[in-house]
Amino acid sequence: YHGQKVPGFPAHPHRGFETVTIVRKGLVDHSDSMGASGRFGNGDVQWMTAGKGVQHSEMFPLLNKTDKNPFELFQIWINLPKASKFVEPHFKMLWSEDLVINKFKDNNGKKSEISIVTGKITKDGPTPPPDSWAADIKNNVAIWNIKMEANAEITLPTANGNINRNLYFFKGDKISIEEQNIEVYKGIELNAGVPTIIKNGNQPAHLLLLQGKPIGEPVVK
């Protein structure tokens, strides 16, 4: 926290990588050295390709003066390959109402949904910035927010190639994958080459999936 009134991160530099900021609760006031400024939050996503360098500020306004100001976000950092380290900086807003949501129902009528920041299941997600590592479909980058009803079951599709796939279980009670019980606040490394069946416990569950081909790995066709 910086200062006495507004928490956040005043102007600071980024270069050579990307940030994907998923704000689940609360608001972010953004401003940058390119002259852009704005407020986003409550489900919105900001994708920044820093490239050759940009300075930006992320502050978290406390609008409720008489009660709590809940705040929750994920900020994902994606490295850029050598060829893209000095591209022009690029910002893109993915507003919550424009995100693609895939909805599923299991054999018992229990519902799950996957909100796509990037990647594809049954529908294409938003288009990443032009110089992003995710812009090349061969890199198979996926960022998915998964929400499951209590006792729901969902099967994650496979992905081809040398792909890293990790699942972060951040809200709920317990889930089960391949007969292994997993408690909340755990990370799971998955094999993207086989379907993954997730069985939820007795509380609604929220999970974050991150996937992509590591930089420097050859593409497997």
Side-chain angles (χ1 to χ4, degrees), residues 162-178:
N162 301 332
I163 301 299
N164 289 338
R165 176 181 276 186
N166 292 277
L167 192 64
Y168 300 91
F169 178 28
F170 65 90
K171 186 175 182 180
D173 179 26
K174 292 181 180 180
I175 60 173
S176 175
I177 299 176
E178 293 187 352

Side-chain angles (χ1 to χ4, degrees), residues 76-130:
I76 300 151
W77 289 22
I78 304 176
N79 195 16
L80 288 170
K82 183 178 180 180
S84 301
K85 289 290 186 183
F86 288 93
V87 297
E88 290 295 326
H90 188 97
F91 289 90
K92 184 166 186 175
M93 285 306 309
L94 309 177
W95 303 108
S96 58
E97 60 267 26
D98 297 327
L99 295 178
V100 173
I101 298 178
N102 293 265
K103 298 184 178 182
F104 306 89
K105 186 181 292 186
D106 64 21
N107 292 334
N108 294 316
K110 298 295 183 178
K111 298 177 182 178
S112 300
E113 63 179 46
I114 301 180
S115 176
I116 306 294
V117 176
T118 190
K120 180 180 180 178
I121 301 181
T122 58
K123 304 175 183 176
D124 286 318
T127 303

Side-chain angles (χ1 to χ4, degrees), residues 27-32 35-41 44 46 57-59 61 93 95:
L27 297 169
V28 175
D29 284 341
H30 163 91
S31 61
D32 62 62
S37 64
R39 175 172 289 178
F40 66 99
D44 299 327
Q46 184 201 68
S57 169
E58 301 158 295
M59 306 302 290
M93 285 306 309
W95 303 108

Side-chain angles (χ1 to χ4, degrees), residues 15-34:
R15 186 182 74 78
F17 66 100
E18 304 182 90
T19 60
V20 183
T21 306
I22 304 170
V23 185
R24 290 174 47 80
K25 296 179 183 177
L27 297 169
V28 175
D29 284 341
H30 163 91
S31 61
D32 62 62
S33 56
M34 299 172 65

